[in-house]
Every structure is written in C-alpha cells, then in structure tokens.
Amino acid sequence: MKTFETLADLAACVGQEIAVSDWLSITQEQVNQFAQATGDHQWIHVDVEKARAGPFGAPIAHGFLTLSLLPVFLESSFDIRQSGMGVNYGLNRVRFTAPVPVGSRVRGRLTLLAAEPIEQGGLQMTWSVVVEREGAEKPVCVAEALVRRYP
C-alpha cells in the first residue's frame, strides 16, 4: 500500500498512476447478494445452469457490481495519513467493456487525473479507474470517478 502524509502530497501526483489494487475474487454468492439488493435478477447473473448455456458460457457479475468495487480498490491501495474522511462524489464516465464471469479475479488500476481544493481544506480528486480481469487482454470496466477527501 502506498502512503501519503497529506492531501497536498497526493495532489502533487496528478497525471501519475498511483496504485494497482490487490486481486478480488468474484463469487456467485456476491452476485446473488447484489441481485437481491438491487432487484436485478436477470438469468445471466443468477441462473447458473441457464447462464452456462448462454452467450458468456457462465454466469457473469452485474456491471454495477463491478462498478461498486471502486471504493474497495481506492481504499485498499493507498493511505493518506492526515485525512479523516472521504466520500464518493460521482462519476463522469463509465463503460463496461467486457464481461466478468463468476470465479474471475479483478483489480483496479488507479491514475489521478485531477486534484482540486474544496471547502473545509478538502480535495476533490478525479480518478481514472481501469478494472482488469486476471488473464484477460481487455479491461472489464473503465470509469472516471470523483472522490472528495477531507483532513
């Protein structure tokens, strides 16, 4: 895990790849729980037998499940010692570029695109997050995420 002392130290790294997260496994249980939480019970996600005969050859994670992992990638990849709180502020762009079969492992590649001071001594950061699937040539999700951190 990369460590920064202050928000200003991180802001000085605009334009750089900051970190690559550890791999996370995607399980059928996670997919089922996400379906339950969101009401999205489409068979390509939750019907294992039918999904095996479907277009992806296996059940796949919801795109929004993959997207929901962005905070995990960010929080587990670097630390800002003099920062007490962070909030997700939004997204500028999201694309789901390839499926994530259940049983896959994914990770986030994090590049700091912008860092702007905000109220209360905080920092609004724009992150490029490329979600990679282990063994795949193409990313599964590409997103531009806005995150606010405060001292």
Side-chain angles (χ1 to χ4, degrees):
M1 176 182 284
K2 196 168 199 171
T3 301
F4 297 91
E5 192 62 33
T6 66
L7 291 170
D9 293 339
L10 178 57
C13 297
V14 167
Q16 297 177 35
E17 182 175 275
I18 301 301
V20 178
S21 75
D22 290 337
W23 292 104
L24 296 174
S25 295
I26 303 299
T27 67
Q28 187 64 52
E29 181 181 2
Q30 285 173 304
V31 170
N32 293 344
Q33 288 174 345
F34 191 84
Q36 190 62 35
T38 62
D40 183 351
H41 298 281
Q42 188 171 153
W43 63 268
I44 61 173
H45 306 303
V46 298
D47 187 331
V48 174
E49 293 308 314
K50 189 173 181 180
R52 283 189 184 135
F56 304 109
I60 61 170
H62 304 73
F64 286 123
L65 169 56
T66 303
L67 185 64
S68 75
L69 297 174
L70 268 59
V72 175
F73 298 144
L74 288 160
E75 290 296 318
S76 67
S77 300
F78 65 91
D79 183 44
I80 308 164
R81 287 193 175 140
Q82 295 180 33
S83 176
M85 179 185 82
V87 294
N88 296 315
Y89 190 65
L91 300 160
N92 287 338
R93 180 182 165 96
V94 177
R95 296 292 182 265
F96 302 114
T97 51
V100 178
V102 168
S104 298
R105 293 191 336 150
V106 295
R107 70 179 178 186
R109 186 171 293 279
L110 312 169
T111 300
L112 184 60
L113 299 178
E116 300 148 0
I118 55 173
E119 69 279 352
Q120 301 173 1
L123 189 68
Q124 179 171 300
M125 296 166 283
T126 305
W127 290 95
S128 166
V129 183
V130 177
V131 183
E132 301 170 330
R133 181 171 63 91
E134 189 174 43
E137 291 182 28
K138 157 181 197 177
V140 297
C141 178
V142 178
E144 193 171 289
L146 303 175
V147 177
R148 289 185 166 193
R149 293 291 298 249
Y150 297 90

